[in-house]
Coordinates of all heavy atoms in Angstrom, one line a residue:
V43 N 48.1 26.7 67.1 CA 49.0 25.5 67.4 C 48.0 24.3 67.5 O 47.1 24.3 68.2 CB 49.7 25.7 68.8 CG1 50.5 24.5 69.2 CG2 50.7 26.9 68.8
S44 N 48.4 23.3 66.8 CA 47.6 22.1 66.8 C 48.5 20.9 67.2 O 49.6 20.8 66.7 CB 47.0 21.8 65.4 OG 46.1 20.7 65.4
Y45 N 48.1 20.1 68.2 CA 49.0 19.0 68.6 C 48.1 17.7 68.5 O 46.9 17.6 68.4 CB 49.4 19.2 70.0 CG 48.3 19.2 71.1 CD1 48.0 18.0 71.7 CD2 47.7 20.4 71.5 CE1 47.1 17.9 72.8 CE2 46.7 20.3 72.5 CZ 46.4 19.2 73.1 OH 45.5 19.1 74.1
A46 N 48.8 16.6 68.5 CA 48.3 15.2 68.4 C 48.2 14.6 69.7 O 47.1 14.6 70.4 CB 49.2 14.4 67.3
A47 N 49.3 14.0 70.2 CA 49.3 13.2 71.5 C 49.2 14.2 72.6 O 49.9 15.2 72.6 CB 50.5 12.3 71.6
P48 N 48.4 13.8 73.7 CA 48.5 14.6 74.9 C 49.7 14.4 75.7 O 50.2 13.2 75.6 CB 47.2 14.1 75.6 CG 47.1 12.7 75.2 CD 47.5 12.7 73.8
D49 N 50.2 15.3 76.4 CA 51.3 15.0 77.3 C 50.8 15.2 78.7 O 50.8 16.3 79.3 CB 52.4 16.0 77.1 CG 53.8 15.5 77.8 OD1 53.7 14.9 78.8 OD2 54.8 15.9 77.4
A50 N 50.3 14.2 79.3 CA 49.7 14.2 80.6 C 50.7 14.5 81.7 O 50.4 14.8 82.8 CB 49.0 12.9 80.8
W51 N 52.1 14.3 81.3 CA 53.1 14.4 82.4 C 53.6 15.9 82.5 O 53.7 16.4 83.6 CB 54.3 13.5 82.0 CG 55.5 13.7 82.9 CD1 56.7 14.1 82.6 CD2 55.5 13.2 84.2 NE1 57.5 14.1 83.6 CE2 56.9 13.4 84.6 CE3 54.7 12.6 85.1 CZ2 57.3 13.2 85.9 CZ3 55.1 12.3 86.4 CH2 56.4 12.6 86.8
I52 N 53.7 16.6 81.5 CA 54.3 17.9 81.6 C 53.6 19.0 80.8 O 54.1 20.2 80.9 CB 55.9 17.8 81.2 CG1 56.7 19.0 81.7 CG2 55.9 17.7 79.6 CD1 58.2 18.9 81.4
A53 N 52.7 18.7 80.0 CA 52.2 19.7 79.0 C 51.6 20.9 79.7 O 51.1 20.9 80.8 CB 51.1 19.1 78.1
E54 N 51.8 22.0 79.1 CA 51.3 23.3 79.5 C 50.6 24.2 78.4 O 50.9 25.4 78.3 CB 52.4 24.2 80.1 CG 52.8 23.7 81.6 CD 51.7 23.9 82.6 OE1 50.8 24.7 82.3 OE2 51.7 23.2 83.6
S55 N 49.9 23.5 77.5 CA 49.3 24.3 76.4 C 48.4 25.2 76.9 O 48.1 26.3 76.2 CB 48.6 23.2 75.4 OG 49.5 22.4 74.8
N56 N 47.8 25.1 78.1 CA 47.0 26.2 78.6 C 47.7 27.5 78.9 O 47.1 28.5 79.0 CB 46.3 25.7 79.9 CG 47.2 25.5 81.0 OD1 48.4 25.4 80.8 ND2 46.7 25.2 82.2
L57 N 49.0 27.5 78.8 CA 49.8 28.7 78.8 C 49.5 29.7 77.7 O 49.4 30.9 77.9 CB 51.3 28.4 78.9 CG 52.3 29.6 78.9 CD1 53.6 29.1 79.6 CD2 52.7 30.1 77.5
L58 N 49.1 29.1 76.6 CA 48.8 29.8 75.4 C 47.4 30.6 75.5 O 47.2 31.6 75.0 CB 48.7 28.9 74.2 CG 50.0 28.2 73.7 CD1 49.7 27.3 72.8 CD2 50.9 29.4 73.2
T59 N 46.5 30.0 76.4 CA 45.3 30.6 76.6 C 44.9 31.3 78.0 O 44.0 32.0 78.1 CB 44.1 29.6 76.2 OG1 44.3 28.4 77.0 CG2 44.2 29.1 74.9
H60 N 45.7 30.9 78.9 CA 45.4 31.4 80.2 C 46.5 32.2 80.9 O 46.2 33.1 81.8 CB 45.3 30.1 81.2 CG 44.0 29.2 81.0 ND1 43.9 28.5 79.8 CD2 42.9 29.1 81.6 CE1 42.8 27.9 79.9 NE2 42.2 28.3 81.0
D61 N 47.8 32.3 80.4 CA 48.7 33.2 80.9 C 48.3 34.7 80.5 O 47.9 34.9 79.4 CB 50.0 32.9 80.2 CG 51.1 33.9 80.7 OD1 51.7 33.7 81.8 OD2 51.4 34.9 80.0
P62 N 48.3 35.6 81.5 CA 47.8 36.9 81.3 C 48.4 37.6 80.1 O 47.8 38.4 79.4 CB 48.1 37.7 82.6 CG 48.1 36.6 83.6 CD 48.7 35.4 82.9
Y63 N 49.8 37.5 79.9 CA 50.5 38.1 78.7 C 50.3 37.2 77.5 O 49.8 37.9 76.4 CB 52.0 38.2 79.0 CG 52.8 38.7 77.8 CD1 52.6 40.1 77.4 CD2 53.7 37.9 77.1 CE1 53.2 40.6 76.4 CE2 54.3 38.4 76.1 CZ 54.1 39.8 75.6 OH 54.8 40.2 74.5
V64 N 50.5 36.0 77.5 CA 50.6 35.2 76.3 C 49.1 35.1 75.7 O 48.9 35.2 74.5 CB 51.1 33.7 76.6 CG1 51.0 32.9 75.3 CG2 52.6 33.9 77.0
S65 N 48.1 35.0 76.6 CA 46.8 34.9 76.0 C 46.4 36.1 75.3 O 45.5 36.0 74.3 CB 45.8 34.6 77.3 OG 45.8 35.8 78.1
R66 N 46.9 37.3 75.5 CA 46.6 38.4 74.7 C 47.0 38.3 73.2 O 46.5 39.0 72.3 CB 47.3 39.7 75.3 CG 46.7 40.1 76.6 CD 46.8 41.5 77.0 NE 48.2 41.9 77.0 CZ 49.0 41.9 78.1 NH1 48.6 41.4 79.2 NH2 50.3 42.2 78.1
K67 N 47.8 37.3 72.9 CA 48.2 37.1 71.5 C 47.2 36.4 70.8 O 47.4 36.3 69.4 CB 49.6 36.4 71.4 CG 50.7 37.3 72.1 CD 52.1 36.6 72.0 CE 53.2 37.5 72.5 NZ 53.4 38.7 71.6
G68 N 46.2 35.9 71.4 CA 45.2 35.2 70.7 C 45.4 33.8 70.0 O 45.0 33.7 68.9
V69 N 46.4 33.1 70.6 CA 46.7 31.8 69.9 C 45.7 30.8 70.2 O 45.1 30.5 71.2 CB 48.0 31.3 70.6 CG1 48.4 30.0 69.9 CG2 49.2 32.2 70.5
R70 N 45.2 30.2 69.0 CA 44.2 29.2 69.0 C 44.9 27.9 69.1 O 45.9 27.6 68.4 CB 43.4 29.2 67.7 CG 42.2 28.3 67.7 CD 41.2 28.6 66.5 NE 41.9 28.6 65.2 CZ 41.9 27.6 64.4 NH1 41.3 26.4 64.8 NH2 42.5 27.6 63.2
V71 N 44.2 26.9 69.9 CA 44.8 25.6 70.2 C 43.8 24.6 69.7 O 42.6 24.6 70.0 CB 45.2 25.3 71.7 CG1 45.7 23.9 71.8 CG2 46.1 26.4 72.1
S72 N 44.2 23.6 68.9 CA 43.3 22.6 68.4 C 44.0 21.2 68.4 O 45.1 21.1 68.7 CB 42.8 22.9 66.9 OG 43.9 22.9 66.0
R73 N 43.3 20.2 68.0 CA 43.8 18.8 68.0 C 43.9 18.2 66.6 O 43.1 18.6 65.8 CB 43.0 17.9 68.9 CG 42.8 18.3 70.4 CD 44.2 18.1 71.1 NE 44.8 16.8 71.0 CZ 44.4 15.9 71.8 NH1 43.6 16.1 72.8 NH2 45.0 14.6 71.7
A74 N 44.9 17.3 66.4 CA 44.9 16.5 65.2 C 43.8 15.6 65.0 O 43.1 15.3 66.0 CB 46.2 15.8 65.2
P75 N 43.6 15.1 63.9 CA 42.5 14.1 63.7 C 42.9 12.8 64.6 O 44.0 12.5 65.0 CB 42.8 13.7 62.2 CG 43.3 14.8 61.5 CD 44.3 15.4 62.7
E76 N 41.9 12.1 65.0 CA 42.0 11.0 66.1 C 43.0 10.0 65.7 O 43.8 9.6 66.5 CB 40.6 10.4 66.3 CG 40.6 9.6 67.6 CD 41.1 8.2 67.4 OE1 41.0 7.7 66.2 OE2 41.6 7.6 68.3
P77 N 43.0 9.5 64.4 CA 44.1 8.5 64.1 C 45.6 9.1 64.3 O 46.4 8.3 64.7 CB 43.9 8.2 62.7 CG 42.3 8.5 62.4 CD 42.1 9.7 63.2
V78 N 45.8 10.3 64.0 CA 47.0 10.9 64.2 C 47.3 11.1 65.8 O 48.4 10.7 66.1 CB 47.1 12.3 63.6 CG1 48.5 12.9 63.8 CG2 46.9 12.3 62.1
Q79 N 46.4 11.3 66.5 CA 46.5 11.4 68.0 C 47.0 10.0 68.5 O 47.9 9.9 69.3 CB 45.2 11.7 68.7 CG 44.7 13.1 68.4 CD 43.4 13.5 69.1 OE1 43.2 12.9 70.2 NE2 42.5 14.2 68.5
R80 N 46.3 9.0 68.0 CA 46.6 7.6 68.5 C 48.0 7.1 68.1 O 48.8 6.7 68.9 CB 45.6 6.7 67.9 CG 45.8 5.1 68.4 CD 44.6 4.2 68.0 NE 44.4 4.3 66.6 CZ 43.4 4.8 65.9 NH1 42.4 5.4 66.6 NH2 43.2 4.6 64.6
A81 N 48.4 7.4 66.8 CA 49.7 7.0 66.3 C 50.8 7.7 67.1 O 51.9 7.1 67.5 CB 49.8 7.2 64.9
A82 N 50.7 9.0 67.3 CA 51.7 9.8 67.9 C 51.8 9.5 69.4 O 53.0 9.4 69.9 CB 51.2 11.3 67.8
L83 N 50.7 9.3 70.1 CA 50.8 8.9 71.5 C 51.4 7.5 71.7 O 52.3 7.4 72.5 CB 49.4 8.9 72.1 CG 49.3 8.4 73.6 CD1 50.2 9.4 74.5 CD2 47.9 8.5 74.1

């Protein structure tokens, strides 16, 4: 899963890497290029 803008209000992307069950699926989380981050935010 790759995302652009951060959601400082509600985001829970750490669920993908920290939840005991979901983390076993090995989902990798990354970020979009910086210009995409800026435009999306």
Side-chain angles (χ1 to χ4, degrees):
V43 174
S44 188
Y45 69 91
D49 189 340
W51 176 246
I52 198 173
E54 285 291 340
S55 291
N56 62 351
L57 180 149
L58 294 169
T59 53
H60 289 70
D61 178 83
Y63 173 71
V64 176
S65 63
R66 291 203 298 270
K67 295 184 177 296
V69 180
R70 182 166 62 93
V71 179
S72 66
R73 297 295 302 276
E76 194 277 333
V78 178
Q79 295 181 33
R80 181 171 59 248
L83 179 55

